[in-house]
Amino acid sequence: MFTGLVAATGILTSRVLRGPGARLGITGALGEEPLAVGESVAVDGVCLTVVATWPDLFEVDVTAETLSRTTLGGIAIGHSLNLERALRAGDRLGGHLVTGHVDAVGTLAKRQPVGESVEMSFAMPSTLAAFVAKKGSIAINGVSMTVNAVDQEAFDVAVIPNTQQTTNLGRLTLGNRVNLEVDLIARYVARAVSVAV
């Protein structure tokens, strides 16, 4: 479980195919405590398990399913990645509950400065629309964001200067693909309503 408050950005340094999946090498430090083998890390919003570590470098294995359902199969070596360690009991929950189970890939459709912030509109599959609500939460590449507007095919967020600087959202250009995870509570409410009917 994560919060969507990105701790650091890293760089994709390698992608080695292993059967239908791949092993990714990522540079980046996540605080003073080193990562441990077996630890869960959100990489651009995807929950992955650390399989090897070195100072400022770690590796994760990615299944064929994850490669096909997220952006991790298509991003270029040298790409910036948002990183977050798993939430510990007693940690602050400053964003919202994020599982790291990506629901879909979206696309940046519009980008417009609004003061020092940037308003971004993301196209999404219409199957997600029921789970995205105005003033609700959504994770974009693992970043907890508040939805400002939504319709059946897209939603808008405002990216403040701090988020632009500390995550890879500030570097997005039109047409870039992003990992989307809808709010966990919205998912369970929708499920409960569908079962009750």
Side-chain angles (χ1 to χ4, degrees):
M1 192 67 71
F2 306 92
T3 67
L5 298 182
V6 169
T9 55
I11 301 293
L12 179 64
T13 59
S14 64
R15 183 190 297 110
V16 178
L17 296 179
R18 297 169 69 91
R23 179 165 287 188
L24 306 182
I26 300 165
T27 60
L30 284 162
E32 295 178 10
E33 183 182 340
L35 289 170
V37 171
E39 185 172 348
S40 293
V41 175
V43 177
D44 258 8
V46 182
C47 181
L48 299 171
T49 302
V50 175
V51 296
T53 64
W54 297 268
D56 296 327
L57 173 70
F58 65 96
E59 292 183 339
V60 292
D61 285 336
V62 185
T63 66
E65 174 82 0
T66 300
L67 290 173
S68 69
R69 291 187 172 265
T70 72
T71 61
L72 295 182
I75 56 176
I77 302 300
H79 184 83
S80 174
L81 300 166
N82 295 324
L83 305 175
E84 182 187 356
R85 288 181 113 129
L87 185 65
R88 293 182 188 173
D91 282 352
R92 288 185 186 162
L93 183 59
H96 73 281
L97 293 175
V98 177
T99 63
H101 304 159
V102 170
D103 292 298
V105 171
T107 305
L108 180 61
K110 294 180 188 172
R111 178 187 170 113
Q112 166 181 324
V114 179
E116 293 184 345
S117 296
V118 177
E119 185 177 275
M120 295 184 180
S121 180
F122 292 91
M124 65 176 170
S126 59
T127 53
L128 292 190
F131 307 104
V132 182
K134 185 175 181 178
K135 300 306 174 193
S137 297
I138 192 165
I140 305 170
N141 279 355
V143 182
S144 176
M145 298 296 298
T146 300
V147 176
N148 288 343
V150 62
D151 61 29
Q152 282 298 112
E153 298 176 346
F155 65 91
D156 297 347
V157 297
V159 184
I160 63 171
N162 181 67
T163 304
Q164 293 173 50
Q165 295 162 8
T166 59
T167 74
N168 63 14
L169 297 188
R171 299 191 239 348
L172 292 176
T173 58
L174 295 182
N176 281 168
R177 300 170 75 233
V178 294
N179 295 317
L180 300 176
E181 181 184 331
V182 299
D183 183 59
L184 182 65
I185 295 169
R187 187 182 299 147
Y188 280 114
V189 168
R191 174 69 177 149
V193 169
S194 72
V195 171
V197 173

